[in-house]
Amino acid sequence: MKSTLIKDIYRNSALYLNQEIEVSGWVRTLRASKAFGFIELNDGTFFKNIQVVFEEGLENYAEITKLTTGTSLIVKGILAESPGAKQPFELKAQTIVVEGECASDYPLQKKRHSFEYLRTIAHLRPRTNTFAAVFRVRSIVAFAIHQFFQERGFVYVNTPLITGSDAEGAGEMFRVTTLDLNALPRTEEGKIDFSKDFFGKETNLTVSGQLNAETYCMAFRNVYTFGPTFRAENSNTARHAAEFWMIEPEIAFANLEDDMELAEDMIKYIINYVLEKAPEEMAFFNEFVDKNLLERLNNIVQSDFERVTYTRAIELLEKVKDQFEYPVEWGTDLQTEHERYLTEQVFKKPIFVIDYPKDIKAFYMRMNEDQKTVAAMDLLVPGIGEIIGGSQREERLEALEKRMKELGLKQEDYSWYLDLRKYGGTHHAGYGLGFERIIMYLTGISNIRDVIAFPRTVKNAEF
Amino acid sequence: MKSTLIKDIYRNSALYLNQEIEVSGWVRTLRASKAFGFIELNDGTFFKNIQVVFEEGLENYAEITKLTTGTSLIVKGILAESPGAKQPFELKAQTIVVEGECASDYPLQKKRHSFEYLRTIAHLRPRTNTFAAVFRVRSIVAFAIHQFFQERGFVYVNTPLITGSDAEGAGEMFRVTTLDLNALPRTEEGKIDFSKDFFGKETNLTVSGQLNAETYCMAFRNVYTFGPTFRAENSNTARHAAEFWMIEPEIAFANLEDDMELAEDMIKYIINYVLEKAPEEMAFFNEFVDKNLLERLNNIVQSDFERVTYTRAIELLEKVKDQFEYPVEWGTDLQTEHERYLTEQVFKKPIFVIDYPKDIKAFYMRMNEDQKTVAAMDLLVPGIGEIIGGSQREERLEALEKRMKELGLKQEDYSWYLDLRKYGGTHHAGYGLGFERIIMYLTGISNIRDVIAFPRTVKNAEF
C-alpha cells in the first residue's frame, strides 16, 4: 500500500474520508493516556500535520506511547471526520509501524529555539515550522520565476560560473584553481605559472551572468539566467552571503521603460503565485514573523509602481536630510535609509528610481543625452529598499568604447562583448534580482542566513 | 507600436492576417532585384523565420537591398497570405528601419561552419539554426524538469556549491580560495594557514548535492536539486565538462523500485514535453543531426523499462565477451560498450541494471542481504548507455557506520549525515541525472561542448 500524502488529504479530503489509507511521516508531538493517544504527524509535503488517534487495542500500544518527537512512522487507518475539533479530520490508526526511532538527544524538542541556534543545526532546521515554510516558499518562488519567463517565451540560459574574465569588475572574487599550493609552478621570471592551472589561466567564480546573457539575448531576443553567483566580500551583514542565486533577464529591442514593465509584472506575478500556492505558509509568516506582511504584499500587487528620476529623488531627500545618517548629495549613491524613506514615506508604494549619475553605475549602462546620467533603474520597495537593479545597455559601439576608455577598461578583454554591437546590435535592457532578497521580502525573514539551506558567509562553510 | 513576436504569428496567424503589425529581428538572408526583394527575418523567439517582402516604393529601398546577414531591423507592414509558397504568410513591408548594421567581417555568413569553428565564436553561435535549436530545447527541458517535480509536490533545494567537506570523495575538485598565492600565510609548522582563508578552512567546488539534499529529504519527504556541479578531471572527452548541471531527486519512505518508477516517469515526461513544445526543433535534429532520433525517443516513451540485475547482466555479456574491447567479469564496472549492447542488442529498450557489487559503488548505498551487492540502479538507454545513476540509501545507522569504517571514512567528517539515521531516519532513495547528458540524448548532439553555452573544459574557460 502506498502512502497518501498529507497535502493531498488536506486538498481533497472528500476523496479519502471513511477510506482506509496509509500515511507516513514524522512525529511532531505525541500525548497518550492509558487508553488512547494522539499524534501530530507531519510528512513534509504540507505545512499542517495530520492528527493520528490510536487506542489501547493496538498491538504495540505501550511502545507507541513512549515514542518521542522526530520518530518516523507508517500509519494505516481510517480517515474520519473530526467534528468540533481544531482539525477537520483525523486518522484512526489500525496499525502503527515505527520506521525510525529518534535518539533522546534530538535537538529539536518542543521548545522554541533561536534562529542563531538553528543555524548550527542547518541539517535539521527544515523540520521546524518556520524553516519548513521558508524553504517551501523558496521552492515555489523559484518555480514561479521560471514559469513567468517561460510563459513569455524567454529562453533560460545557464551562464558559466567559472570565469576567465574579470569583466564585470563588480567586486572581490573567489579564485578557482587546481594548482598545488604547496608546490606552485613558476615561470622563468618567478611568477606563478597559471598556464599550468586547469584552465591554462587564472579563473574565478562569477559575480554576474549578465555579459554572457547579453550574447544570448542578441540571438533569442528574450532570455534569463537563474543561477548561483559569488562575492568574496568580507562583510558580515544580515543581507550578504558569499554564495547566492540571481535572476538576470535580458531583453532585446527594449528600452528602460520595457525593462521596468517587465520587472513590475514579474514582482506582481511572484507575489500572486506564492499567495495562491502557499497560503498556509504565508499566513504563518504574517502571524509569527511580520504582522504587516500580507498587507504590504497585497498593497504592492494593487499598486502602479511609480517612476522618479534620481535627480528628483535627491531633491526630495535634501528637504529632510537632517534625519539621515548618511549625507545626501547629487552624485552619491542612495543608502538604504534614503531608499526606504522614498518608498515608505514619500510615495508609499514601490518606485523605480531612474537616470543615475554615470559615475556610480557600471560601464555598460546607456548614456543619456545629458552625458551625465545613464539609463539605469533601481526598484525600491517598502520595508526593504532596493530589490532590483537594472539598466538599458549601451548598444552604440562608439559610446561604449568611449566609456570603457574613460574607465580604463581594456578593449581586448571585452572583444566578444563589443562584437554584439558590431554585428547587428539592438537596443536592449535587463536587470538583476537577488533570489534570496525576494525570499526575505516575501517571508519577512530578516537574515539571509535563514533563507539559504546551507549559507556560505565569512568564516562559515559548514555542512 | 510594440513588435509582435514571430512565434506568436506562427502559432496564431489568424489573429494577425491582414493586420498591420511590427516585427523586429535579424536578417538571415536577403535577396533583391531592382523592383522588389525578400528578407528572411528571425527574431529569436521561434525556430522559423518570417518572410518580409519589400518593394522599390520604400523610401530607403536602395539601402535595404545592400544589407547583409546579421543586420537587425524593425519592419512595419501587413501580414498577408502567401499562396502556394513555402511559407503560409509573408509580411509586406511598409517601412523598414535599420536598427543595427552588421560589419562585413561577420563570421556567420551563409555557408556551413564546423562545430569546432563555432565553438570559437560561442557568443555568436546561438544565431545559427543548430545552436538556436539546441539552446531552446535546453531551456524547455529545464522547465519540464522543474514542472515534473513541482507537480508532484517536490521541494526544490539549492544545495551549496562551495563546500568545506570532501564528503562524496567522488573525484578531483577545484579549490576555492581568496588567499594571495604570492604571499600564502603559514602556520608555525610551515603549513599553509587556511584559517586565514575566506571561510577559515579549505574549501572546494561541490561534486554532488546529494548528501545535503538528503537532509532536506528527511524534512520535506520529496526534494530535488537542479544546479551546477564541478569535476576537475583532466579528461578531454566529448562527454566530460568541468562545469555541468545536475538534477538530484531524493525521496523518503521509498525503496529502489520507487526510485526507478520516478526515473522512468521523469524521462518519459521530459520526452513528451519537448516533443510537444519544440516540434520544429526536434524535426530539425531528426533531419540534420540524427535520422533515428524521433523513432528512438518515441520508442522510449512507449516502452516499459526493463529491470535486470548486474549479476544477470554479466552472464549475458559473458556469452559474447569476445566482441568487447574491455573484459567482462563479475565485480568490474560496466563500460559503455557493455551498456549499449545490453540496451540496444539484448533488450532493445531502456533497462535498469540493479544490485551492483558494493566495491564499485559509493559508501552510502544500501547493502543487500547477500552482503555483496548494494541497492544501486543505473538506467541505460539505447544510443548512449548510462543516463541516470541512483540507489536506495543506507538508512541503518550500524550498517552505514560499518561500511564507512571498511572504507576508512572518518565518522566525524559525516556527523550531520549520520544524524539523519539517528533522528527519525526512513528508508529513502534518489538518483542523479546529468542535465547536459539528457540534452545530448534529446538532440542527438554528440559533444557536450555543443550543449553548454560557454563550456569549461581542460585548458578552456573562454568568454
Side-chain angles (χ1 to χ4, degrees):
Chain A
M1 187 171 187
K2 285 227 173 187
S3 291
T4 304
L5 303 183
I6 292 177
K7 178 175 183 179
D8 293 335
I9 298 172
Y10 270 91
R11 291 280 187 251
N12 301 294
S13 59
L15 272 183
Y16 303 104
L17 268 178
N18 305 315
Q19 307 289 317
E20 185 182 298
I21 59 173
E22 178 191 288
V23 299
S24 42
W26 292 270
V27 175
R28 284 287 174 88
T29 63
L30 182 151
R31 59 206 157 87
S33 67
K34 277 188 182 167
F36 60 91
F38 299 97
I39 298 169
E40 289 287 322
L41 194 76
N42 189 289
D43 76 349
T45 65
F46 197 57
F47 187 69
K48 293 182 180 176
N49 311 314
I50 192 165
Q51 177 162 287
V52 175
V53 188
F54 61 103
E55 297 182 355
E56 59 181 336
L58 279 189
E59 204 182 331
N60 54 351
Y61 183 79
E63 179 198 0
I64 299 300
T65 60
K66 295 184 199 110
L67 295 178
T68 55
T69 297
T71 305
S72 56
L73 302 177
I74 300 172
V75 183
K76 275 185 199 160
I78 306 285
L79 190 71
E81 284 189 84
S82 180
K86 272 191 293 183
Q87 60 289 331
F89 42 74
E90 59 191 21
L91 186 63
K92 291 188 182 302
Q94 294 164 328
T95 65
I96 300 182
V97 175
V98 177
E99 165 84 1
E101 294 190 352
C102 190
S104 59
D105 60 347
Y106 189 48
L108 290 176
Q109 303 300 339
K110 245 174 145 182
K111 74 175 182 98
R112 251 191 130 124
H113 300 281
S114 73
F115 282 8
E116 287 76 15
Y117 171 69
L118 290 169
R119 279 174 216 147
T120 69
I121 50 169
H123 61 311
L124 302 175
R125 67 178 175 169
R127 305 177 183 197
T128 65
N129 278 335
T130 303
F131 289 96
V134 167
F135 288 102
R136 195 188 319 280
V137 163
R138 185 177 163 120
S139 167
I140 287 169
V141 172
F143 187 66
I145 290 167
H146 279 294
Q147 188 165 282
F148 172 81
F149 288 114
Q150 297 266 343
E151 281 177 357
R152 283 155 187 76
F154 282 56
V155 168
Y156 176 43
V157 191
N158 295 129
T159 50
L161 304 197
I162 297 174
T163 175
S165 65
D166 178 24
E168 264 255 304
E172 293 161 76
M173 297 170 96
F174 289 102
R175 177 185 298 280
V176 175
T177 182
T178 56
L179 292 179
D180 180 352
L181 300 194
N182 283 305
L184 288 168
R186 299 277 173 180
T187 62
E188 287 185 10
E189 299 84 46
K191 288 186 180 168
I192 296 168
D193 185 1
F194 286 105
S195 75
K196 300 283 199 318
D197 208 345
F198 189 91
F199 296 107
K201 62 175 176 176
E202 293 189 68
T203 50
N204 296 292
L205 291 175
T206 187
V207 295
S208 165
Q210 179 202 314
L211 302 194
N212 288 293
E214 281 186 57
T215 68
Y216 271 54
C217 175
M218 289 296 114
F220 290 110
R221 184 181 196 117
N222 295 325
V223 302
Y224 70 108
T225 73
F226 188 166
T229 314
F230 304 86
R231 295 281 156 86
E233 276 164 41
N234 200 344
S235 58
N236 228 328
T237 80
R239 287 160 57 93
H240 292 90
E243 176 181 325
F244 56 99
W245 286 59
M246 280 247 283
I247 297 100
E248 297 182 288
E250 195 73 29
I251 49 179
F253 298 100
N255 59 24
L256 194 65
E257 181 56 35
D258 299 315
D259 206 31
M260 290 189 281
E261 280 173 25
L262 183 70
E264 180 169 344
D265 289 350
M266 182 195 71
I267 293 287
K268 290 176 175 176
Y269 185 97
I270 292 171
I271 293 173
N272 283 326
Y273 190 91
V274 73
L275 290 173
E276 185 196 327
K277 298 286 181 181
E280 291 81 6
E281 284 82 357
M282 296 307 287
F284 172 84
F285 294 129
N286 196 61
E287 191 173 347
F288 292 105
V289 179
D290 178 350
K291 300 269 184 211
N292 297 316
L293 182 68
L294 293 180
E295 190 193 330
R296 201 168 60 233
L297 295 178
N298 282 315
N299 175 41
I300 287 190
V301 170
Q302 285 148 26
S303 301
D304 286 324
F305 294 10
E306 193 75 39
R307 278 92 166 127
V308 56
T309 65
Y310 168 88
T311 301
R312 173 80 184 129
I314 291 291
E315 287 168 12
L316 292 165
L317 292 166
E318 279 181 332
K319 287 183 192 163
V320 290
K321 63 182 171 188
D322 293 344
Q323 72 182 69
F324 300 124
E325 189 187 341
Y326 290 90
V328 174
E329 195 183 4
W330 201 98
T332 59
D333 214 352
L334 300 183
Q335 301 297 322
T336 302
E337 59 175 348
H338 307 139
E339 294 173 343
R340 292 188 60 171
Y341 173 80
L342 290 168
T343 180
E344 291 167 17
Q345 306 294 321
V346 182
F347 293 99
K348 296 182 172 50
K349 59 175 169 174
I351 59 171
F352 290 105
V353 178
I354 63 172
D355 298 337
Y356 282 79
K358 65 178 180 180
D359 292 332
I360 57 171
K361 289 292 184 183
F363 76 95
Y364 49 72
M365 298 190 180
R366 192 177 198 277
M367 192 68 68
N368 287 326
E369 285 187 21
D370 62 16
Q371 297 291 320
K372 288 191 302 185
T373 61
V374 289
M377 65 91 162
D378 281 0
L379 174 60
L380 316 183
V381 291
I384 199 166
E386 186 205 327
I387 196 163
I388 280 178
S391 70
Q392 186 171 339
R393 318 309 188 185
E394 184 58 80
E395 86 281 11
R396 296 163 298 187
L397 183 60
E398 278 181 31
L400 183 59
E401 288 178 337
K402 178 169 170 248
R403 186 75 185 129
M404 286 172 62
K405 206 170 172 184
E406 282 172 14
L407 293 169
L409 300 173
K410 286 187 217 149
Q411 285 205 28
E412 57 264 36
D413 292 347
Y414 296 83
S415 63
W416 55 269
Y417 189 67
L418 293 168
D419 276 356
L420 304 180
R421 279 74 183 164
K422 282 173 64 182
Y423 302 130
T426 77
H427 65 297
H428 64 292
Y431 62 80
L433 168 71
F435 184 48
E436 282 77 12
R437 206 157 277 186
I438 188 88
I439 303 300
M440 291 165 74
Y441 191 61
L442 294 169
T443 59
I445 297 287
S446 58
N447 195 310
I448 197 168
R449 291 165 181 79
D450 298 324
V451 300
I452 298 176
F454 300 98
R456 271 74 182 100
T457 53
V458 180
K459 301 294 172 203
N460 176 45
E462 298 308 308
F463 303 101
Chain B
M1 189 171 188
K2 285 227 173 189
S3 291
T4 303
L5 303 183
I6 292 177
K7 177 174 182 178
D8 292 337
I9 298 172
Y10 270 92
R11 292 281 187 250
N12 299 294
S13 59
L15 272 183
Y16 303 103
L17 267 177
N18 305 315
Q19 306 289 317
E20 185 183 300
I21 59 172
E22 177 192 290
V23 300
S24 43
W26 293 269
V27 174
R28 285 285 175 89
T29 62
L30 182 148
R31 59 203 157 89
S33 67
K34 276 187 183 167
F36 60 91
F38 299 96
I39 297 169
E40 289 288 320
L41 195 75
N42 189 289
D43 76 349
T45 66
F46 196 57
F47 186 69
K48 294 184 179 174
N49 310 315
I50 192 165
Q51 177 162 289
V52 175
V53 188
F54 61 103
E55 298 182 354
E56 58 180 335
L58 277 190
E59 202 183 333
N60 53 352
Y61 183 79
E63 180 197 0
I64 299 300
T65 59
K66 295 185 199 111
L67 295 178
T68 55
T69 297
T71 306
S72 56
L73 303 177
I74 300 172
V75 182
K76 274 184 200 161
I78 306 284
L79 190 71
E81 285 189 85
S82 181
K86 272 189 294 184
Q87 61 288 331
F89 42 74
E90 60 191 20
L91 186 63
K92 292 191 182 301
Q94 294 164 328
T95 65
I96 300 182
V97 175
V98 178
E99 165 83 2
E101 293 191 352
C102 190
S104 59
D105 60 347
Y106 189 47
L108 290 176
Q109 303 299 341
K110 246 174 144 182
K111 73 178 184 95
R112 250 192 132 124
H113 300 282
S114 73
F115 282 7
E116 288 74 15
Y117 171 68
L118 290 169
R119 278 174 217 147
T120 68
I121 49 168
H123 61 310
L124 302 175
R125 67 178 175 169
R127 304 177 184 197
T128 66
N129 278 335
T130 304
F131 290 95
V134 166
F135 288 102
R136 196 189 318 280
V137 162
R138 184 176 165 123
S139 168
I140 287 169
V141 173
F143 187 67
I145 290 167
H146 279 294
Q147 187 165 283
F148 172 82
F149 288 114
Q150 296 266 343
E151 280 177 358
R152 284 155 186 75
F154 283 55
V155 169
Y156 176 42
V157 192
N158 295 129
T159 50
L161 303 197
I162 297 174
T163 176
S165 65
D166 177 24
E168 265 254 305
E172 293 161 77
M173 298 168 95
F174 289 102
R175 177 184 299 280
V176 174
T177 182
T178 56
L179 291 180
D180 179 352
L181 300 193
N182 282 305
L184 288 168
R186 300 277 172 179
T187 63
E188 286 184 12
E189 298 85 47
K191 290 185 177 166
I192 295 167
D193 186 0
F194 286 104
S195 75
K196 300 282 199 317
D197 209 345
F198 189 91
F199 296 107
K201 61 176 178 179
E202 293 189 68
T203 50
N204 295 293
L205 290 176
T206 188
V207 295
S208 164
Q210 179 201 314
L211 302 193
N212 287 294
E214 281 187 55
T215 68
Y216 271 55
C217 176
M218 289 295 115
F220 289 109
R221 186 180 194 118
N222 295 326
V223 301
Y224 70 108
T225 72
F226 189 166
T229 314
F230 305 87
R231 295 282 155 84
E233 275 164 42
N234 199 345
S235 56
N236 228 330
T237 80
R239 287 160 56 95
H240 291 89
E243 176 180 326
F244 56 99
W245 286 60
M246 281 245 285
I247 297 100
E248 297 182 290
E250 195 72 31
I251 49 179
F253 298 101
N255 59 24
L256 194 65
E257 181 56 34
D258 299 315
D259 206 30
M260 290 189 282
E261 281 174 24
L262 183 71
E264 180 169 345
D265 289 350
M266 182 195 70
I267 293 286
K268 290 176 175 174
Y269 185 97
I270 292 172
I271 294 173
N272 282 326
Y273 190 91
V274 74
L275 290 174
E276 185 197 327
K277 298 285 182 181
E280 291 81 6
E281 285 82 357
M282 296 306 288
F284 172 84
F285 294 129
N286 197 62
E287 190 174 346
F288 292 105
V289 180
D290 178 351
K291 300 267 184 214
N292 296 316
L293 183 69
L294 292 180
E295 189 192 332
R296 199 168 63 232
L297 295 179
N298 282 316
N299 176 41
I300 289 191
V301 170
Q302 284 149 25
S303 300
D304 287 324
F305 294 8
E306 193 74 38
R307 278 93 167 127
V308 56
T309 65
Y310 167 89
T311 301
R312 174 79 185 129
I314 291 291
E315 287 168 13
L316 292 166
L317 292 167
E318 279 180 332
K319 287 184 192 163
V320 290
K321 62 182 172 187
D322 294 342
Q323 71 182 71
F324 300 123
E325 187 187 342
Y326 290 90
V328 173
E329 193 183 3
W330 200 99
T332 59
D333 213 351
L334 301 183
Q335 301 296 322
T336 302
E337 60 175 346
H338 307 141
E339 293 172 345
R340 291 188 60 171
Y341 173 80
L342 291 168
T343 180
E344 291 168 15
Q345 307 293 321
V346 183
F347 294 98
K348 296 182 172 50
K349 59 176 170 171
I351 59 170
F352 289 106
V353 177
I354 63 172
D355 298 338
Y356 282 79
K358 65 179 180 180
D359 292 332
I360 57 172
K361 288 292 184 184
F363 76 94
Y364 50 71
M365 297 190 180
R366 193 178 197 277
M367 192 68 68
N368 286 326
E369 283 186 22
D370 62 17
Q371 298 292 319
K372 289 191 301 186
T373 61
V374 289
M377 64 91 161
D378 280 0
L379 174 60
L380 316 183
V381 290
I384 197 165
E386 186 206 327
I387 196 163
I388 279 178
S391 71
Q392 187 171 340
R393 316 310 189 187
E394 184 57 82
E395 87 281 12
R396 298 162 298 187
L397 183 60
E398 277 180 30
L400 183 59
E401 287 177 338
K402 179 169 170 249
R403 186 72 185 132
M404 286 172 61
K405 206 170 170 182
E406 282 172 14
L407 294 170
L409 300 173
K410 286 187 216 151
Q411 284 205 26
E412 57 265 35
D413 292 345
Y414 297 81
S415 62
W416 56 270
Y417 189 67
L418 293 167
D419 276 356
L420 304 179
R421 281 70 185 168
K422 282 172 65 181
Y423 302 131
T426 77
H427 64 297
H428 64 291
Y431 62 80
L433 167 71
F435 184 48
E436 283 77 13
R437 205 157 280 187
I438 188 88
I439 302 301
M440 290 165 75
Y441 191 60
L442 293 169
T443 59
I445 297 288
S446 59
N447 195 309
I448 196 167
R449 290 165 183 79
D450 298 324
V451 299
I452 298 178
F454 299 98
R456 271 72 182 100
T457 53
V458 180
K459 301 293 174 206
N460 175 45
E462 297 309 305
F463 303 99

